[in-house]
């Protein structure tokens, strides 16, 4: 918080200094102020559009916000500019690799969430079928007649509901 305050004071004195925005962006990230870090990184690039480090800061903020594809683009731009300017690009490459890994992890998490949801829906359908069967058994025990046709009709309706939920889940995930 102290670093953000000091950089903010310096920016008041030098509002066109991209280095101050770059450094405050890092300070914001350290304080988990991701959106503010992004704003400063974007301002940094606005002030100096050919500065590799500015794109690196942008990539870091985008990554922190879970915008992995955008972060990769920013890091690629940092690598491109850094290479042209003879800078050490290893930290930019590390950022790019981290953004790629973040995108993979996020995709795997979405896939796992969809699978868990499918399993829950399947289990709910099984429970409903078991309840319907138990109700039919109860009716039989009380002397009531349940036709096989009625039983299978209700079973089919339950299964159709499950299929509709799966289709809806699949469509919402794609």
């Amino acid at each position: 918080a102290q670093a953000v305050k000091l950089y903010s004071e310096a920016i008041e004195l030098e509002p066109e200094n991209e280095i101050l925005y770059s450094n405050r962006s890092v300070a914001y990230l350290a304080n988990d102020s991701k959106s503010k870090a992004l704003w400063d990184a974007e301002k940094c690039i606005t002030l100096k559009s050919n500065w590799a480090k500015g794109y690196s800061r942008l990539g870091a903020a985008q990554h922190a916000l879970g915008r992995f594809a955008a972060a990769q683009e920013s890091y690629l731009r940092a690598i491109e500019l850094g290479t042209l300017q003879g800078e050490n690009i290893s930290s930019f490459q590390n950022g790019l690799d981290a953004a790629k890994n973040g995108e993979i992890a996020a995709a795997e998490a979405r896939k796992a969430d969809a699978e868990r949801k499918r399993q829950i829906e399947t289990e709910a359908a099984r429970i409903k079928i078991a309840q319907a069967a138990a109700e039919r058994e109860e009716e039989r025990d009380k002397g009531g007649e349940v036709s096989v046709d009625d039983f299978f009709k209700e079973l089919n309706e339950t299964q159709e509901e499950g299929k509709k939920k799966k289709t809806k889940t699949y469509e919402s995930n794609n």
Side-chain angles (χ1 to χ4, degrees):
Q2 181 67 13
V4 169
K5 182 178 181 271
L6 294 173
Y7 283 120
S8 296
E9 290 171 4
I11 287 170
E12 286 180 26
L13 299 173
E14 290 188 60
E16 301 300 309
N17 186 327
E18 72 279 352
I19 296 170
L20 295 174
Y21 286 99
S22 171
N23 291 345
R24 189 172 71 173
S25 178
V26 172
Y28 275 135
L29 280 179
N31 289 318
D32 205 33
S33 296
K34 300 169 190 169
S35 295
K36 290 179 179 180
L38 179 66
W39 190 92
D40 273 3
E42 289 171 340
K43 180 67 174 180
C44 176
I45 290 171
T46 300
L47 293 171
K48 190 169 182 181
S49 62
N50 65 343
W51 191 35
K53 190 175 234 177
Y55 282 94
S56 171
R57 299 294 194 232
L58 181 60
Q62 291 165 326
H63 185 169
L65 288 165
R67 300 175 185 172
F68 303 113
Q72 289 175 57
E73 289 178 26
S74 295
Y75 281 120
L76 285 171
R77 182 72 176 139
I79 290 168
E80 176 186 352
L81 290 170
T83 301
L84 291 173
Q85 297 163 359
E87 293 183 35
N88 182 348
I89 61 168
S90 63
S91 66
F92 305 154
Q93 184 62 52
N94 291 340
L96 176 61
D97 293 342
K100 286 178 181 178
N101 291 334
E103 185 173 32
I104 291 167
E108 288 172 354
R110 286 189 302 273
K111 185 177 176 182
D113 287 346
E115 177 60 22
R116 277 191 296 278
K117 187 175 180 180
R118 186 196 64 75
Q119 289 173 346
I120 290 168
E121 290 172 349
T122 300
E123 186 60 26
R126 286 184 191 144
I127 290 169
K128 192 169 183 178
I129 290 168
Q131 287 172 337
E135 288 172 8
R136 298 297 178 249
E137 188 66 32
E138 236 179 79
E139 281 187 37
R140 266 190 242 128
D141 289 347
K142 291 179 183 176
E145 285 296 314
V146 178
S147 74
V148 173
D149 288 339
D150 287 343
F151 175 77
F152 283 112
K153 181 180 176 185
E154 189 169 324
L155 180 63
N156 283 333
E157 288 171 359
T158 302
Q159 289 173 337
E160 286 299 317
E161 287 177 28
K163 287 179 185 176
K164 287 178 185 175
K165 286 181 182 178
K166 284 181 187 177
T167 301
K168 188 181 279 186
T169 300
Y170 176 79
E171 289 172 351
S172 67
N173 289 331
N174 292 322

